[in-house]
Structures are given as structure tokens and as C-alpha cells.
């Protein structure tokens, strides 16, 4: 693969683009995590912010959250919270004091420091699809169980596309690998096929400890250096309504004590796992997230934490999750307002309920992604490749979504909105006058290669030209592009001694039995 970090800027027409990119499959935009220059959409007035905050605090004070983790219960009892069995109630003063200790911005440095990411502020980061058990196989037109080869191919797309900034969980579950050792094989693949920020599933001691050690080895780091600043992250979900399970809290406590970043994302579906009203669902989601963040800050003040939102609604006719809906957009915007109120970075998602990479998939995902823009989201999970409410991963959808992500990146470039003399272009307008055109004038010639976004997947030919070229629909074009990328992919460099140390670690941990599979 060509060095995408040093790729030249885009040029103009299709023929020029083909000449410039040489052997590269596409002429993509450079690695450049977008800075959100827009003002966030804020549907809540001050009284609305206070009402949702008060609702979240009253949930924590009056109803409480179930923590199915004995260590967490003891820590929270020591902190002065009211612990009754598994139920924990905590006062708002304690919650706000602890949450205030979390940084509003922080960085994660992967094994390639050129792919360091800053989380917080106005930076937007996009991650790959994570965790579907199934894969859309376009060649047979069916969804099939995921396997290691499919997972590796999606990891190659994760590395290839500059608009993907971090490597989330398994882009598809390789169910052909036994669950006790799956994390070892997939993390080896992730660390050798990508050099972007790594994720660990918080599913018990062994998995988390193994992933931390593998990330440390891949970075060529000593233990103190690894723990001095975030090198990786985890994401956990509460078990809505109002519960946190044992393995996820256990994993986060282990990561917190070693200085690694934590994302807490309740999965609240209005009408099923949360109130049918979006304000109620958001308040519940905030309560579930803030209590966990308060716990982690008590254990290690200043540990980087991100508050996540996965608040959508169900189809009240079938009970199925719905995504990219008007309610999803508004709940994301509202949670963005509340994240700024608490001074925390925000995570949301690029999601859809469509079953195949079709029109529904595009408009629902586009709605989700633009909701992320409007809300001031910092980390966008599942930004590329997600189908069927998270049950299917699709390489074609991954590539289609990357076209949207690049458009968002271009949309955020401030030169589009520049208003200097060259941009107002009065002399160009004077030269053309009332009866000319702008195609041939020098002002246009000087700028035509960079003036507008140039797509890599969209087809802008007219119908006759498209028909002559084979009449290939978008998903089919994405499939052909996927094959080209995989066939030409070159893994990022890794020191051979580090690669061998990683392989030895995997072999040793497999011989020891890997991780238990009782949850």
C-alpha cells in the first residue's frame, strides 16, 4: 500500500486522478482527523439541560444502579455511597466532584505515533464497525457467520482508509476461533495489520490483561512507559435499565489502574430498555454512564473517560431497534449538550437498521453521522461497515460509508468558508462580466484541482455514460474496490523482533488455556 501519510493532495478530473494515484486503488484524502468548525446543534434550553441533569441525579440518588461487581461495591461503600446489596445510590455532589476530575481532552498514542489521536475538544474521530457476529457476503447474496479471514479483510480496510482513525473491537466476530483464544488471534492480526489506536473488550481479567500486554509489546514499551499515558482504550455498555455487570467493570478497573482510556456507553432503546420519551431515555443513559465514570475517577483521579450515547428507539410494531431516526438524531444532540455540561468527551455511532448495503443503509447511516457532527461528537464508533442494527458487517458498506466520512472531512475544511479577496473573486466576476463563463479564466485554472470534493466511489456520469460503462450500482462498485484494496494491501511495517515476541506471547497464552468462557 502506498504511504497514505505522505500522499499528495487531490487533483481534478477522473483522468488526472487516475494518473496521479498510480498503482493506488483510490486517490483518497490524507490522514487528517477533522476539526468540527460548526456550532453544535443544541435543542435544549438552559431549563432543559437542568431538567435532564436533575433527572439523572435523582435516578442515582433515589433509585440507584445495580453493580454486579463486588470490588466496585466495596470501593463505592468506601467512597460514602449507600450500598444495599448490589444497589448503589450516590449523591449528586459526589458524582459531580468525581466527574470533574476527568480530563476534557487527552491523547491515545498507538504503535505508530503518526496515528496518535486527540480525543475531546472539537476533534472528530471515526472508527470501524465493531462486534457483529455476521458478515454480508455479496458474492452469494447472504449473511454468513464471521470468520478470521473476513475479520482480517475488514482490518485491512481499517488500516487502508485514512478517514478511519481508530481500530474498534473485532470488525466481525471470527466465530471459527474458539472464544477462549479469539482475543489473542484477533489482537495479533490487529496489531500486525494496523498501526492505529487499539481497543480491548472488557470481558474479564485475562482478556484485558492479555490485550494490554500485547499493545505494550507492539509499541516496544516498558511497563512504566505504557502506563504513563493512554496507549489504548476500552468501551463498556451498561446493562440497561440501571445495571453494570461484573466483567465490564472489572476490565475498566484494571485499565484505569494502568492509565488507559475508558468509554462508557449505555445502550438505551427508548420504549424497551428506557422510557419512551427521549428526555427520559437520555436522563437514564446519563445516570448509567456517570455513576461508572465516578467510580473510575475515585479509583484513579484524572483517568481519561469518554461518555457515550447509544440512545435510539425501537419499532413499536415489532420491538426491533431503529437507528438513524429523528429521535436518534435528537437524543444524540441532547447528549452532546449534556457532555459539554459535564466537561466530558462524547462518543456516538454511525449506525443503521438496514439489512443490506442499499439506500436505507445509506440514509440511516448518513443521518447518524450528521447527528454526530451536530452533537459535537469526538469519537464516532461503527462509522463504517455496520448493518442490521449491529448484527452484520459489510465490506461494501464500509467503503460506501468512507465516502460519507471523506465528505464530512472536506465539509469541515475552513477554506470552503474563507472570505478573503481571492474567495470573493470580484476581479474574476469583473473579467467574465455578463455574458462569459468561468471555466477558462485564470482564477478557475489556478484552483480547479482543489476547489471541490472529488469522490472515489460516487459515479457522476450521466445515465448513458453509466450504462455504457456497465451500469454498475454503488454496492457493486464498492465490492470491486474492496477486492482491489485487499489484493494490493501491504501491512504497516513492524520490527521483526517485536512480531516474534507477539507471536510467542500468543502461543504461550494459548498453551495456558487463554481466557475462561463462562460469560
Amino acid at each position: 500500500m502506498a504511504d497514505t501519510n505522505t500522499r499528495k493532495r487531490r487533483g481534478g478530473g477522473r483522468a488526472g486522478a487516475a494518473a496521479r494515484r498510480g498503482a493506488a486503488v483510490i486517490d483518497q484524502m490524507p490522514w487528517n482527523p477533522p476539526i468540527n468548525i460548526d456550532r453544535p446543534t443544541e435543542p435544549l434550553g438552559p431549563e432543559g439541560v437542568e431538567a435532564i441533569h436533575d433527572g439523572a441525579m435523582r435516578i442515582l440518588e433515589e433509585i440507584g444502579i445495580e453493580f454486579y461487581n463486588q470490588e466496585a461495591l466495596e470501593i463505592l461503600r468506601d467512597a460514602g455511597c449507600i450500598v444495599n446489596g448490589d444497589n448503589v445510590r450516590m449523591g449528586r455532589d459526589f458524582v459531580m466532584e468525581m466527574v470533574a476530575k476527568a480530563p476534557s481532552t487527552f491523547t491515545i498514542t498507538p504503535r505508530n505515533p503518526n496515528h496518535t489521536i486527540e480525543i475531546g475538544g472539537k476533534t472528530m474521530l471515526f472508527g470501524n464497525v465493531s462486534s457483529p457476529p455476521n458478515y454480508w457476503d455479496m458474492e452469494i447474496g447472504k449473511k454468513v457467520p464471521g470468520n478470521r479471514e473476513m475479520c482480517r479483510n475488514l482490518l485491512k480496510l481499517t488500516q487502508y482508509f485514512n478517514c478511519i482513525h481508530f481500530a474498534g473491537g473485532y470488525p466481525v466476530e471470527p466465530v471459527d476461533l474458539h472464544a477462549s483464544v479469539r482475543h489473542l488471534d484477533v489482537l495479533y492480526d490487529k496489531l500486525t495489520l494496523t498501526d492505529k489506536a487499539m481497543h480491548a473488550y472488557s470481558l474479564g481479567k485475562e482478556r484485558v490483561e492479555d490485550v494490554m500486554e500485547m499493545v505494550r509489546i507492539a509499541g516496544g514499551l516498558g511497563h512504566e512507559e505504557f502506563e504513563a499515558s493512554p496507549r489504548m482504550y476500552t468501551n463498556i455498555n451498561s446493562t440497561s435499565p440501571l445495571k453494570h455487570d461484573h466483567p465490564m467493570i472489572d476490565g475498566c478497573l484494571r485499565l484505569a489502574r494502568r492509565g488507559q482510556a475508558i468509554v462508557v456507553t449505555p445502550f438505551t432503546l427508548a420504549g424497551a430498555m428506557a422510557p419512551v420519551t427521549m428526555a427520559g431515555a437520555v436522563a437514564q443513559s446519563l445516570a448509567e454512564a456517570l455513576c461508572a465514570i465516578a467510580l473510575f475517577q475515585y479509583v484513579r483521579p484524572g483517568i481519561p473517560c469518554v461518555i457515550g450515547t447509544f440512545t435510539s428507539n425501537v419499532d413499536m410494531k415489532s420491538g426491533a431497534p431503529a437507528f438513524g431516526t429523528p429521535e436518534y438524531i435528537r437524543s444524540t444532540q441532547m447528549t452532546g449538550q449534556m457532555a459539554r455540561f459535564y466537561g466530558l468527551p462524547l462518543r456516538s455511532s454511525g449506525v443503521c437498521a438496514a439489512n443490506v448495503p442499499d439506500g436505507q443503509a445509506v440514509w440511516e447511516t448518513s443521518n447518524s453521522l450528521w447527528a454526530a457532527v451536530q452533537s459535537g461528537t469526538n469519537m464516532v464508533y461503527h462509522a463504517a461497515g455496520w448493518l442490521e442494527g449491529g448484527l452484520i458487517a459489510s465490506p461494501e458498506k464500509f467503503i460506501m460509508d468512507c465516502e460519507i466520512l471523506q465528505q464530512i472531512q472536506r465539509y469541515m475544511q475552513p477554506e470552503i468558508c474563507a472570505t478573503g479577496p481571492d474567495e470573493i473573486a470580484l476581479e474574476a466576476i469583473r473579467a467574465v462580466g455578463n455574458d462569459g463563463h468561468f471555466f477558462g479564466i485564470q482564477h478557475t485554472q489556478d484552483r480547479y484541482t482543489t476547489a471541490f470534493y472529488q469522490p472515489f466511489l460516487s459515479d457522476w456520469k450521466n445515465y448513458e455514460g453509466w450504462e455504457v460503462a456497465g451500469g454498475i450500482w454503488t454496492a457493486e462498485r464498492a465490492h470491486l474496490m474492496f477486492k482491489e484494496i485487499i489484493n494490493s494491501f501491504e501491512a504497516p511495517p513492524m520490527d521483526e523482533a517485536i512480531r516474534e515476541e507477539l507471536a510467542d506471547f500468543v502461543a504461550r497464552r494459548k498453551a495456558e488455556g487463554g481466557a475462561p468462557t463462562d460469560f
Side-chain angles (χ1 to χ4, degrees):
M1 184 183 69
D3 183 358
T4 52
N5 290 319
T6 58
R7 189 184 304 283
K8 295 179 180 179
R9 295 188 68 185
R10 303 183 319 282
R14 291 180 181 82
R20 279 189 309 279
R21 69 174 179 256
V25 176
I26 65 170
D27 187 26
Q28 62 176 312
M29 295 177 73
W31 166 276
N32 187 24
I35 303 300
N36 191 337
I37 63 174
D38 284 1
R39 295 185 183 93
T41 300
E42 297 195 332
L44 301 173
E47 70 288 345
V49 171
E50 181 55 37
I52 289 180
H53 169 65
D54 184 64
M57 294 301 104
R58 291 188 64 186
I59 291 168
L60 296 176
E61 291 172 331
E62 300 173 18
I63 302 170
I65 307 291
E66 303 279 306
F67 279 84
Y68 301 136
N69 182 292
Q70 192 60 41
E71 183 184 10
L73 292 172
E74 294 304 320
I75 292 169
L76 292 169
R77 181 181 286 111
D78 178 73
C81 299
I82 300 171
V83 179
N84 183 11
D86 295 322
N87 184 270
V88 179
R89 287 183 289 141
M90 52 185 72
R92 66 184 67 199
D93 290 344
F94 169 76
V95 174
M96 296 301 284
E97 178 187 356
M98 291 301 106
V99 169
K101 296 178 185 295
S104 59
T105 62
F106 62 93
T107 60
I108 297 178
T109 305
R111 71 178 183 89
N112 178 0
N114 292 328
H115 284 157
T116 295
I117 53 177
E118 180 180 57
I119 298 172
K122 295 183 177 296
T123 303
M124 288 193 74
L125 303 166
F126 303 122
N128 58 327
V129 60
S130 301
S131 305
N134 303 303
Y135 177 94
W136 172 254
D137 189 327
M138 191 165 180
E139 293 184 356
I140 62 174
K142 290 184 178 180
K143 77 172 182 180
V144 295
N147 62 36
R148 189 176 186 180
E149 180 184 4
M150 297 166 183
C151 186
R152 285 172 57 87
N153 285 342
L154 289 166
L155 288 171
K156 291 174 183 178
L157 294 182
T158 298
Q159 176 67 15
Y160 180 85
F161 278 98
N162 294 326
C163 59
I164 301 297
H165 306 118
F166 59 92
Y170 313 158
V172 68
E173 285 278 349
V175 297
D176 56 331
L177 301 176
H178 193 273
S180 63
V181 297
R182 186 178 300 163
H183 66 291
L184 296 167
D185 285 331
V186 176
L187 258 293
Y188 179 83
D189 290 344
K190 287 178 74 172
L191 288 165
T192 54
L193 293 174
T194 81
D195 59 10
K196 298 178 180 179
M198 287 288 119
H199 162 276
Y201 286 109
S202 282
L203 294 174
K205 169 186 175 181
E206 292 80 5
R207 289 174 179 82
V208 166
E209 298 287 354
D210 285 346
V211 174
M212 285 195 287
E213 184 63 6
M214 292 178 71
V215 171
R216 185 193 68 79
I217 291 169
L221 305 169
H223 291 281
E224 289 187 8
E225 191 177 7
F226 173 79
E227 296 179 13
S229 63
R231 303 285 178 170
M232 54 175 289
Y233 69 99
T234 190
N235 176 84
I236 66 165
N237 304 113
S238 51
T239 307
S240 301
L242 306 180
K243 294 182 286 293
H244 282 287
D245 69 18
H246 176 274
M248 288 194 177
I249 293 295
D250 177 81
C252 287
L253 290 173
R254 294 176 186 279
L255 285 159
R257 290 183 172 118
R258 296 191 65 186
Q260 304 309 306
I262 300 167
V263 183
V264 185
T265 309
F267 184 12
T268 46
L269 289 174
M273 301 141 65
V276 72
T277 53
M278 299 316 294
V282 169
Q284 179 186 309
S285 173
L286 292 171
E288 292 177 7
L290 292 172
C291 66
I293 292 172
L295 167 66
F296 305 141
Q297 294 303 319
Y298 185 79
V299 169
R300 181 158 175 169
I303 192 69
C305 288
V306 177
I307 192 167
T309 176
F310 212 100
T311 301
S312 192
N313 58 287
V314 296
D315 175 3
M316 297 305 287
K317 296 177 181 177
S318 68
F323 298 103
T325 64
E327 293 80 12
Y328 176 91
I329 295 170
R330 283 302 194 194
S331 70
T332 304
Q333 293 167 352
M334 288 191 286
T335 307
Q337 259 187 285
M338 300 308 299
R340 288 185 291 279
F341 176 80
Y342 297 117
L344 294 168
L346 176 66
R347 171 241 148 143
S348 66
S349 299
V351 287
C352 68
N355 297 308
V356 294
D358 60 3
Q360 178 185 334
V362 172
W363 76 62
E364 290 180 350
T365 300
S366 185
N367 284 350
S368 299
L369 291 172
W370 282 101
V373 171
Q374 295 164 351
S375 66
T377 290
N378 303 112
M379 296 183 78
V380 185
Y381 269 56
H382 313 300
W386 165 294
L387 287 172
E388 201 196 0
L391 296 178
I392 297 176
S394 161
E396 293 79 20
K397 175 70 163 31
F398 195 115
I399 291 171
M400 292 161 68
D401 291 339
C402 283
E403 182 81 278
I404 303 174
L405 299 182
Q406 281 210 156
Q407 291 187 29
I408 292 173
Q409 181 174 328
R410 170 59 177 164
Y411 169 85
M412 289 301 176
Q413 290 178 340
E415 55 262 36
I416 298 178
C417 306
T419 57
D422 286 346
E423 287 75 32
I424 299 298
L426 189 61
E427 292 308 312
I429 296 170
R430 193 192 314 279
V432 172
N434 304 96
D435 58 358
H437 63 75
F438 289 83
F439 278 116
I441 68 168
Q442 193 61 45
H443 185 271
T444 302
Q445 291 297 306
D446 291 342
R447 293 164 179 80
Y448 82 96
T449 60
T450 58
F452 308 126
Y453 176 75
Q454 290 294 319
F456 64 83
L457 183 62
S458 295
D459 188 335
W460 287 352
K461 294 188 289 290
N462 62 20
Y463 181 86
E464 288 75 19
W466 171 79
E467 189 176 39
V468 167
I472 303 174
W473 287 48
T474 307
E476 296 175 85
R477 293 198 302 276
H479 179 72
L480 295 172
M481 191 173 291
F482 162 61
K483 292 296 187 181
E484 286 189 73
I485 291 171
I486 296 306
N487 290 336
S488 62
F489 180 82
E490 294 179 16
M494 173 179 276
D495 182 273
E496 195 56 38
I498 288 177
R499 186 187 300 272
E500 291 176 6
E501 187 177 356
L502 273 176
D504 290 345
F505 178 85
V506 169
R508 175 172 65 79
R509 288 292 295 120
K510 283 184 174 181
E512 293 170 351
T517 57
D518 56 347
F519 52 78

